[in-house]
Each structure stands twice: as C-alpha cells, then as structure tokens.
Amino acid sequence: MAKADTGKKRAPLKTRRPPVGASPGTLIADPAARRSELRLTLISPQKYETIDNASIDDLNTHCQKWPVVWLDCTGLANIPLIEEIGRIFNLHPLALEDVVNTGQRPKVDFYENHAFVVMRMIDDVTSHRYEQIALFFGGNFVVTFQEREGDPFDPVRKRIAGAMPNRLRSRGADYLAYALIDAIVDSYFPPIEAASETVDGIEDEMLNKPHKHQMRQLHELRRDANVLKGVLWPMRDALATLIRNDVPFVKAETKIFFNDTLDHSLRLIELVENQRDMLTGLIEMHVSLTQASTNDVISYLTIVSVIFMPLTFLVGVWGMNFDPQSSPWNMPELKAYYGYPASLMFMAIVAVGLIAFFKWKKWL
C-alpha cells in the first residue's frame, strides 16, 4: 500500500493477554486504550433514532422497544462498561476477552444466541492505520467495539437514514451485520488500488532511470502487501465460516449477501498476490538495472584506462633522463626540432586509433 516515507519504524502488532493462570474471560484494559463512548442507533422499518454519548440507562430503556439495535462502542478503556454491555446482550465472556485483547486474528465464533466476528479494518485510509473491530450480532442486535474513532461505516449510517424503502431498516440484525462487514472489506479496495498505481509509477521511473530511493519504496510496499495478506486470508476464512454455518440468527437470504462479500475478499487477495509478485519482480529488476549501470560505468572506465595506457607509456619513455650527446643511442629524437608537437600528434593518433578500434568492435 502506498504511504509517505516518514523514516519511522512501524510498531509491531502485539496481542495483549491476561496474566498466566487468570480465569477465562478475565478483562484487562490496555493502559493506552481510549476512553469508551457509546453511540446507540435504534432501527425499525418506519423510523430510526441515533443517540450519541449513550449510557447504560439508554440501553435498558430502548433496547427492548425497537426491532433492531446497533450499539457502537468506541474505546476499550472502560472495563465495567464493557462487562455491563456483555450482561445486557448476554455476550459470551470469552468473546469479550478477545474484544479488549486487541491484535486477534480475524475469525468468527458462534454462541447460543449470537455470533462473534473479529476483523481488521482501516480506520484511516490516508495513513493506512489498522485497528481491530469486534462485532456481535444476534436476533435483534448488533454490537461493535472499536479501538478508537474512525471507521468506514459512514455509508451504512447514511443508508439507515435514507428514505424508504430501506433494506437496512427492514431486513433485521443479520443484514445490518452484513452491511458493516461488507463496508470493512470494501474499505481495502482504495488503498490497494492506490498502491497498484504507485507500483506502476515506480516501474515507469525505473525503466527511465533507476534510483536508490526506489528500492526503499519497493520494500515498504512489499511489507504493506505482506501485512494485507496476513489480514485478508483469515478474513476470507471467517466469511466462509459465516456462510457455511447454519444458525437461526443468520437467515438464508442474508448468506447470499455474505457470499458476495466473500467474493470481494477473494478479489482483494488476488490483487494483493499480484501486487506482491510484481513488487518482487521490480526489486529483482532494480538490482539487475543497478548492476547493469555499474557494469557500464566500469566498461567506460576500462576503455579510458586502455586509451591512456600507451600514452602513459610513451610519456614515460620520453620523460627519461637520457643524454643524446653522450651516445647516438641515447634517444637522439630528444634533439628533434619538432619533437614536442610530433610526440603530441603521435599520441593523438594512438588515442583516436584506439577509439576507432573500440567503435569497430562495438565496445563503445
């Protein structure tokens, strides 16, 4: 995926776990977790209502009066609040433990009266920032837990607020869960397509002239592609699990829509795999072009050295301290009237002759 080169190392993805020997379902907040805030969306076929900064009292007051309830919890710092949400919706303690212990592998678990879905979502397309999204849905409720503000759910919220007829307000909680999961999956398309355009641009630059910074860009893009691969493959498996399992709170007609989302995830995997293969090929091509450029430089330097070798030899011979007066064999040409221009002319002829020979051999 394309991103600006900030020179900073990426923080490794860590999974927080409860202490060894702790009771299953123990919830321990991350010290860096954001403050928890609730947003409650109440949905019926005829109308809807949204309550920002909702409270537990709002849940107790409204949840039993509406056909579908969507509770969105942003921030995982308030453990008592999360436990109370689990009590109200009868969420399994082991699933709640996975909610607060972020960094889980994308998966789907089924319990008696609800499903639990863990996915990775891009909450900021510009910086390609990932976070864990945990989603519970049952007969008449959907509960989502986010690490921080920012999500791809705005189109879903707009559809809920749209005019009738409205599928999101008439098809039930499982269809709302599908819409949210589909929004998460589709949010991967823009950054992957942007990364493909970046790769194409780097390829064009490399064919023109390779540079050192291109290798760094290619390695960063391949690292991003590897991260995406690690996210999309288990996400595909989770979606397939949703489709295969026969549970009463996932209707057959909704599975058709989940199957479409599964197709989207397969398409994303294909794009990422093709991108990784292309990046690997470009890295190899960059190495080859760099080596070819280095070989060209070495060839030119070798030719220049070969041209100057005989000239250096001649200068060395004529520069020796002979005395033509002591013997006719002591380089009588040192006394020649035109010796200096004649020697320069001779060396020029030698140099031009070597250059002509190299061109004839197609070495230049």
Side-chain angles (χ1 to χ4, degrees):
M1 301 184 61
K3 72 183 183 69
D5 181 14
T6 60
K8 296 181 180 179
K9 293 184 178 179
R10 177 178 303 178
L13 184 64
K14 295 182 179 180
T15 302
R16 298 190 69 257
R17 302 182 183 279
V20 176
S23 175
T26 301
L27 306 187
I28 300 177
D30 188 335
R34 305 292 179 90
R35 183 171 63 91
S36 301
E37 295 182 359
L38 302 181
R39 180 175 183 175
L40 182 61
T41 304
L42 308 169
I43 304 171
S44 74
Q46 296 77 25
K47 61 181 180 178
Y48 81 99
E49 182 179 343
T50 299
I51 303 175
D52 294 322
N53 298 317
S55 64
I56 294 297
D57 291 337
D58 293 323
L59 295 180
N60 292 325
T61 301
H62 297 287
C63 284
Q64 301 302 323
K65 300 178 180 179
W66 290 76
V68 177
V69 174
W70 173 22
L71 177 65
D72 185 22
C73 178
T74 301
L76 305 176
N78 194 336
I79 294 299
L81 176 64
I82 295 174
E83 290 176 335
E84 185 64 18
I85 292 172
R87 185 192 64 78
I88 292 173
F89 292 99
N90 196 24
L91 306 180
H92 200 281
L94 290 178
L96 289 176
E97 181 181 346
D98 288 340
V99 168
V100 297
N101 297 331
T102 57
Q104 302 291 327
R105 185 176 184 269
K107 63 177 182 177
V108 172
D109 292 329
F110 291 97
Y111 299 98
E112 183 178 355
N113 66 335
H114 63 273
F116 173 54
V117 183
V118 176
M119 303 184 78
R120 305 293 299 177
M121 74 174 180
I122 303 177
D123 63 355
D124 189 340
V125 176
T126 304
S127 63
H128 298 238
R129 186 177 64 184
Y130 294 86
E131 69 167 280
Q132 174 175 296
I133 175 74
L135 185 148
F136 295 85
F137 70 95
N140 68 333
F141 70 89
V142 175
V143 180
T144 52
F145 291 93
Q146 307 182 40
E147 295 182 49
R148 52 185 171 261
E149 293 182 357
D151 57 46
F153 298 151
D154 282 343
V156 178
R157 297 185 180 103
K158 291 179 181 178
R159 288 167 60 192
I160 292 174
M164 295 298 293
N166 193 316
R167 287 190 208 173
L168 278 172
R169 289 179 10 205
S170 60
R171 284 185 174 264
D174 58 340
Y175 189 83
L176 174 59
Y178 147 74
L180 297 174
I181 293 172
D182 187 66
I184 293 172
V185 173
D186 287 350
S187 67
Y188 283 87
F189 278 105
I192 290 177
E193 291 170 353
S196 297
E197 293 178 1
T198 302
V199 172
D200 292 340
I202 294 175
E203 182 181 22
D204 294 338
E205 292 178 4
M206 283 176 51
L207 293 175
N208 185 28
K209 186 176 182 180
H211 295 279
K212 290 183 179 179
H213 73 274
Q214 294 165 348
M215 181 63 79
R216 181 181 183 127
Q217 287 180 307
L218 291 172
H219 278 291
E220 288 180 349
L221 287 167
R222 188 168 67 172
R223 182 181 61 186
D224 290 341
N226 288 332
V227 172
L228 281 171
K229 180 183 177 183
V231 170
L232 293 174
W233 276 100
M235 189 181 294
R236 180 208 64 172
D237 297 337
L239 291 169
T241 302
L242 269 174
I243 296 169
R244 287 196 304 265
N245 279 268
D246 187 14
V247 290
F249 44 83
V250 181
K251 295 187 283 291
E253 56 266 27
T254 305
K255 289 184 179 181
I256 298 174
F257 293 96
F258 275 123
N259 193 65
D260 180 68
T261 303
L262 176 61
D263 290 340
H264 292 181
S265 69
L266 293 174
R267 175 59 179 159
L268 288 171
I269 291 172
E270 291 176 358
L271 290 174
V272 171
E273 290 288 350
N274 292 338
Q275 193 177 108
R276 287 179 69 249
D277 293 341
M278 187 172 184
L279 287 167
T280 300
L282 287 178
I283 290 173
E284 294 174 355
M285 186 175 75
H286 190 281
V287 173
S288 299
L289 291 175
T290 303
Q291 291 178 344
S293 178
T294 302
N295 291 337
D296 289 340
V297 172
I298 293 175
S299 299
Y300 283 119
L301 293 177
T302 302
I303 290 173
V304 171
S305 299
V306 170
I307 292 173
F308 276 91
M309 282 174 61
L311 307 183
T312 304
F313 171 76
L314 293 174
V315 170
V317 171
W318 287 329
M320 290 188 292
N321 294 323
F322 286 101
D323 184 8
Q325 295 181 352
S326 62
S327 169
W329 295 101
N330 279 357
M331 294 185 69
E333 61 269 21
L334 293 178
K335 289 287 188 178
Y337 185 79
Y338 295 104
Y340 178 66
S343 63
L344 292 179
M345 182 64 67
F346 179 71
M347 287 189 288
I349 292 173
V350 171
V352 171
L354 287 173
I355 292 173
F357 174 75
F358 293 147
K359 285 188 174 292
W360 176 66
K361 297 292 289 184
K362 296 184 180 180
W363 293 349
L364 273 178

